[in-house]
Amino acid sequence: MLKEWWDRRIRPDKDIDWFLQHPDSLQAGSHALRIAAIYLVVGSLWILVSDAILFLIFPDPNAYHTAQRFKGWFYVAATAVMLYGLIYWRMELLSQAAQTIGAAYEDLQAAHEELVAAESELRYQKDMAQHLVDDAPAIILLWQLDGKIIELNPYGQKLLEVDRSPDELPLPELLGTSTASLAKSLVSGEAVVSELGPWEAPSGRQIYVWWNSRLITDPSGGEEKVVSVGTDITQQRELEGRLQRLAYYDNLTQLPNRQRMQETMDQWIAAERPFTLILMDLDHFQDINDTLGHDIGDLFLQHAAQQLRSITRDGEVLARMGGDEFGMLWPHVTDPDQIQGRTQEIFEVFGPWQMLDHEFMMSLSAGVAVYPRHGDTTVDLVKNCDTALNNAKKEGRNRFFVYSEDVQERNVAAIKMSSAIRRAMEQNEFELYYQPHIHLETGAILGAEALIRWPQADGSFVGPPDFIPLAEDTGQIYDIDLWVLQQAINEMKELAAAGYPHLVLSVNISSRTINQPQALAQIVQTIAAEDVDPQRLVLEVTETAILDRDHSAAANLQQLKDLGVYLALDDFGTGYSSLEYVSNWPIEVIKMDRSFIDNIGVDEKKEAVIAAVLRLAATLQYRVVAEGIETEEQRTFLMQRGCSQGQGYLFYRPLPKEHWRLALADSPAPDTQS
Ligand code: C2E
Ligand code: MG
Ligand code: MG
């Protein structure tokens, strides 16, 4: 305890830090007083006890006196040593303190310099941050967790075309997400990304922004803030959009393409969402392309796309599958009645198409397949839909088929029918009927059209529409046509022998036949082999025979014409051709289709068209034969407009040979020929 007191009070120099911490202990007055007090105590004690001590040490009076003499010196020396010690000790302490303070001052100075440097660095950093906020090409948005916007940098204001105070902006709309859910994620301390787009700026420009938001905590306990840094990704999104369009859309019609259609089907199938797929193929599109050129063909496709678009409903997909093939997806339309209704709408929007002052009849063939009934993968559905489409085309186009086992059955039936046709040819089962051509005014028979019939064992007939298209598909039509030609020539010879040398017989020649390379030689040989006047023979062809791609059919027809055979354009009015086009072909007779004639007395506009066609035909010196005349009104109308020949149920149905001969016998003599 005493030691501690000594160390603290008397020898505190042992611990200079103690002094520095107790600077009051270094008060000069108290120390001086303490030294003076020690001196006073020691001096007083010396005066009081020194003589007695001296007497004790030197009892001899002489020695005592001698010692007395040195006693003063001793006292001075002792006090001098004591004073020296005390002052030295104190001065030493002061010097140490001064050194410590000096060192501390240097430290302080260094710390101060560091502080000044740090402050200027801080100012620099702050300026830089402000510069970044003001000038960086990024949107910087500062907001509070309660949704209040504190700051939006100038770049952001300019980009988003902010025309009011930023704190009036709707924050969730700006960030493209709910602020509350964003705030929840931000509290975890992680940066949260979100995307805005499109943001419609006041000018109408669509802007896309990619946001990166982070919560900033104020260490001094102030309100937490969120910094959202936004990158303008508008160009990127636009580019993506363009690439998307290139990859998924058709350039000509702007419709989704096959790829897009298939991906949509994949998605719907994955979601087990029932839908109907309809694949459509424009009838005779190739003919339009070939005769009118690709530019018109493109317009035709665009028009078709437009018509289909007009009946496409929300949620449905319309795509151009390629070429002249279109596809549609109808979600939730799977009921046969609904399918029938929707398909009907398609056929209704495909009618006449006006182009280059001409009217073209547009039609299409379609196949339908339903998910999941007709396949549970995209590949199967498309395959089955294609089968149905092909059947629609085979059955004469301008119709649709829903895929079903029936379609498969029909394919099997077609195969059976094809072998039945072969057998019929071998066993000579076919027969020719003759439908008289009549002079409309006199009623005289001018000739006849030979029409094939296929009598069955039960007394019924298979009509040409039920086997001719199939025979065309299988190529059997070639032999059939040559057989009919041969029969007709035989009939011409018999008629001439029977006293009707003036009669003109018409024979239908399929476009499939006329486009066969060997057809011309065969026909010429067949005619030349018999002694008949080629001028009494008319070959009826449809425009598809003429609209072939390499023009060999047109050349073939020209040679037939050169031989003296008349050529008739059958079914005029059902295709695309106008008389102007026909004038380029070696055609002399126009057979006006029944669908035309049916309009007489029904549709005034169509009547005007018939009248115009007849006028033009007369100018171009075509002979016109009207088909399918069924009423007296039709006959009168046609006669009054200069059409002198026709055939139809009004006069005669196609007649078997004996009846045809009887009709001839009853017919008035043909005193007028046109
Ligand atoms: P097409 O050459 O236009 O023949 C006229 C069709 O109209 C015939 O049908 C005829 O029976 C029918 N018809 C004639 N007048 C009337 C009428 O007043 N009212 C109605 N409703 N119909 C009438 P058909 O005999 O059934 O022949 C259909 C088509 O089959 C023919 O049309 C022709 O394209 C084709 N065809 C017929 N025979 C042959 C043939 O021997 N060879 C080829 N390649 N095709 C043939
Ligand atoms: Mg005909
Ligand atoms: Mg016809």
Side-chain angles (χ1 to χ4, degrees):
M1 175 115 164
L2 189 67
K3 186 174 181 301
E4 194 178 306
W5 178 86
W6 171 256
D7 285 346
R8 284 258 176 266
R9 291 277 148 203
I10 305 302
R11 292 295 313 277
D13 59 319
K14 281 176 118 182
D15 183 2
I16 193 69
D17 291 341
W18 185 88
F19 265 117
L20 291 172
Q21 284 161 20
H22 302 86
D24 52 329
S25 64
L26 272 173
Q27 279 171 1
S30 84
H31 275 275
L33 203 64
R34 212 178 294 166
I35 290 169
I38 291 169
Y39 180 73
L40 189 70
V41 170
V42 172
S44 304
L45 283 174
W46 182 261
I47 292 166
L48 289 175
V49 296
S50 60
D51 284 342
I53 294 169
L54 215 59
F55 187 71
L56 277 176
I57 301 168
F58 301 105
D60 177 46
N62 285 334
Y64 176 78
H65 279 291
T66 310
Q68 251 323 12
R69 219 183 300 150
F70 290 105
K71 187 187 85 175
W73 287 107
F74 178 76
Y75 178 76
V76 168
T79 52
V81 167
M82 190 191 74
L83 282 174
Y84 172 80
L86 279 171
I87 291 166
Y88 180 84
W89 165 53
R90 284 285 153 180
M91 287 311 286
E92 178 71 9
L93 205 61
L94 266 173
S95 148
Q96 272 182 31
Q99 275 174 27
T100 308
I101 288 166
Y105 178 75
E106 272 171 24
D107 284 352
L108 212 63
Q109 189 75 20
H112 175 71
E113 277 167 17
E114 268 174 32
L115 220 60
V116 169
E119 194 197 348
S120 90
E121 172 71 18
L122 214 62
R123 199 175 299 123
Y124 169 74
Q125 298 277 8
K126 197 180 160 212
D127 286 354
M128 193 129 100
Q130 193 59 46
H131 170 69
L132 281 175
V133 168
D134 288 350
D135 303 334
I139 310 171
I140 297 170
L141 181 71
L142 195 63
W143 51 282
Q144 283 173 190
L145 284 179
D146 61 8
K148 185 176 179 322
I149 293 180
I150 303 166
E151 193 185 340
L152 175 63
N153 71 337
Y155 176 85
Q157 296 198 22
K158 196 170 157 213
L159 187 90
L160 301 172
E161 299 177 23
V162 175
D163 49 4
R164 53 199 147 139
S165 164
D167 58 5
E168 288 172 27
L169 291 173
L171 188 61
E173 276 177 41
L174 206 60
L175 291 171
T177 177
S178 123
T179 333
S181 71
L182 191 64
K184 211 186 270 174
S185 317
L186 283 167
V187 171
S188 70
E190 294 291 307
V192 179
V193 294
S194 58
E195 194 177 321
L196 159 73
W199 159 274
E200 182 155 339
S203 68
R205 205 169 87 87
Q206 309 259 306
I207 298 162
Y208 293 82
V209 177
W210 191 77
W211 288 110
N212 190 316
S213 304
R214 190 184 282 278
L215 189 72
I216 305 290
T217 318
D218 185 348
S220 59
E223 176 113 39
E224 287 180 318
K225 296 185 183 76
V226 181
V227 179
S228 297
V229 179
T231 313
D232 176 13
I233 52 163
T234 309
Q235 276 192 345
Q236 193 181 326
R237 284 283 172 274
E238 283 172 356
L239 190 70
E240 280 170 10
R242 274 203 293 280
L243 288 176
Q244 170 104 345
R245 283 207 81 74
L246 280 178
Y248 284 118
Y249 286 83
D250 165 53
N251 220 12
L252 179 70
T253 58
Q254 306 305 321
L255 291 178
N257 61 11
R258 174 182 288 270
Q259 177 70 22
R260 179 65 189 262
M261 177 92 158
Q262 286 179 343
E263 285 184 15
T264 308
M265 277 196 275
D266 288 342
Q267 285 163 11
W268 289 2
I269 289 173
E272 294 184 1
R273 187 178 181 193
F275 65 90
T276 289
L277 164 70
I278 173 160
L279 291 177
M280 295 157 276
D281 197 293
L282 301 180
D283 295 337
H284 306 300
F285 172 71
Q286 195 56 47
D287 299 340
I288 292 199
N289 243 355
D290 289 345
T291 44
L292 306 180
H294 288 256
D295 288 347
I296 302 288
D298 283 354
L299 287 176
F300 187 79
L301 287 173
Q302 284 172 336
H303 177 72
Q306 185 49 44
Q307 296 306 94
L308 290 172
R309 206 181 270 124
S310 71
I311 50 149
T312 306
R313 297 183 188 160
D314 280 354
E316 297 181 350
V317 178
L318 165 66
R320 181 176 173 212
M321 308 297 279
D324 61 342
E325 197 178 314
F326 292 86
M328 270 178 122
L329 293 179
W330 297 327
H332 303 303
V333 175
T334 52
D335 170 76
D337 287 343
Q338 286 177 306
I339 293 174
Q340 169 79 31
R342 294 303 317 276
T343 316
Q344 207 48 48
E345 280 178 39
I346 294 179
F347 283 91
E348 274 163 19
V349 291
F350 274 78
W353 178 55
Q354 205 70 34
M355 172 51 55
L356 300 177
D357 295 333
H358 297 300
E359 203 176 68
F360 298 89
M361 282 307 295
M362 290 175 80
S363 69
L364 51 75
S365 307
V368 175
V370 180
Y371 169 77
R373 212 179 311 144
H374 301 141
D376 51 11
T377 64
T378 301
V379 173
D380 280 355
L381 278 170
V382 171
K383 191 184 82 195
N384 291 341
C385 202
D386 262 335
T387 307
L389 169 61
N390 282 332
N391 278 286
K393 285 200 237 170
K394 274 187 209 152
E395 299 260 336
R397 302 171 193 269
N398 196 20
R399 68 197 65 211
F400 79 96
F401 274 130
V402 178
Y403 176 82
S404 68
E405 279 67 50
D406 295 0
V407 173
Q408 289 295 25
E409 277 167 23
R410 207 169 288 140
N411 286 342
V412 173
I415 293 167
K416 279 190 189 154
M417 171 77 97
S418 154
S419 49
I421 293 173
R422 199 177 54 245
R423 203 186 50 245
M425 281 295 285
E426 284 164 7
Q427 299 181 359
N428 214 11
E429 288 175 17
F430 292 113
E431 253 180 55
L432 276 197
Y433 272 43
Y434 298 90
Q435 184 174 39
H437 282 169
I438 302 298
H439 189 272
L440 295 183
E441 235 164 284
T442 63
I445 294 179
L446 305 172
E449 176 175 5
L451 293 161
I452 195 164
R453 292 292 178 267
W454 187 5
Q456 302 295 295
D458 60 1
S460 65
F461 287 92
V462 179
D466 293 329
F467 70 92
I468 295 284
L470 179 69
E472 285 179 327
D473 276 348
T474 58
Q476 291 167 306
I477 193 68
Y478 184 77
D479 291 335
I480 294 178
D481 281 350
L482 286 177
W483 178 85
V484 171
L485 180 65
Q486 185 62 59
Q487 298 305 306
I489 288 172
N490 293 348
E491 177 65 7
M492 280 169 75
K493 281 165 62 184
E494 285 179 29
L495 287 171
Y500 304 105
H502 60 277
L503 291 179
V504 176
L505 282 196
S506 295
V507 174
N508 293 288
I509 302 285
S510 157
S511 51
R512 264 302 290 259
T513 303
I514 212 80
N515 279 303
Q516 294 288 315
Q518 73 278 27
L520 174 73
Q522 269 288 349
I523 295 171
V524 170
Q525 195 188 322
T526 310
I527 299 169
E530 308 287 349
D531 180 24
V532 286
D533 179 1
Q535 299 226 347
R536 300 283 157 199
L537 184 64
V538 175
L539 298 185
E540 295 189 6
V541 292
T542 53
E543 66 179 40
T544 47
I546 300 163
L547 299 175
D548 74 323
R549 256 151 267 162
D550 56 9
H551 302 287
S552 65
N556 280 356
L557 293 175
Q558 185 58 50
Q559 291 198 39
L560 285 169
K561 186 186 171 187
D562 294 344
L563 199 73
V565 177
Y566 277 102
L567 295 173
L569 181 66
D570 204 355
D571 304 340
F572 178 79
T574 54
Y576 316 103
S577 48
S578 67
L579 282 181
E580 241 173 295
Y581 282 105
V582 176
S583 65
N584 299 316
W585 304 328
I587 293 288
E588 288 109 338
V589 182
I590 301 291
K591 295 203 71 178
M592 195 179 262
D593 193 69
R594 182 161 62 90
S595 57
F596 244 133
I597 309 302
D598 280 348
N599 288 304
I600 296 174
V602 177
D603 183 335
E604 277 185 20
K605 275 193 183 161
K606 294 272 164 62
E607 283 182 352
V609 174
I610 297 172
V613 168
L614 289 173
R615 273 200 303 277
L616 189 59
T619 315
L620 296 170
Q621 294 186 318
Y622 285 117
R623 183 150 56 89
V624 178
V625 178
E627 293 184 311
I629 303 174
E630 291 183 350
T631 66
E632 202 51 59
E633 185 184 6
Q634 290 168 347
R635 170 169 120 139
T636 314
F637 178 95
L638 289 163
M639 258 177 0
Q640 285 171 350
R641 281 156 189 86
C643 175
S644 59
Q645 291 188 29
Q647 64 190 92
Y649 294 174
L650 176 65
F651 313 105
Y652 299 98
R653 289 181 175 254
L655 305 169
K657 190 168 167 172
E658 330 64 272
H659 292 177
W660 148 242
R661 291 292 179 86
L662 288 174
L664 269 181
D666 288 350
S667 158
D671 52 336
T672 316
Q673 288 232 8
S674 354

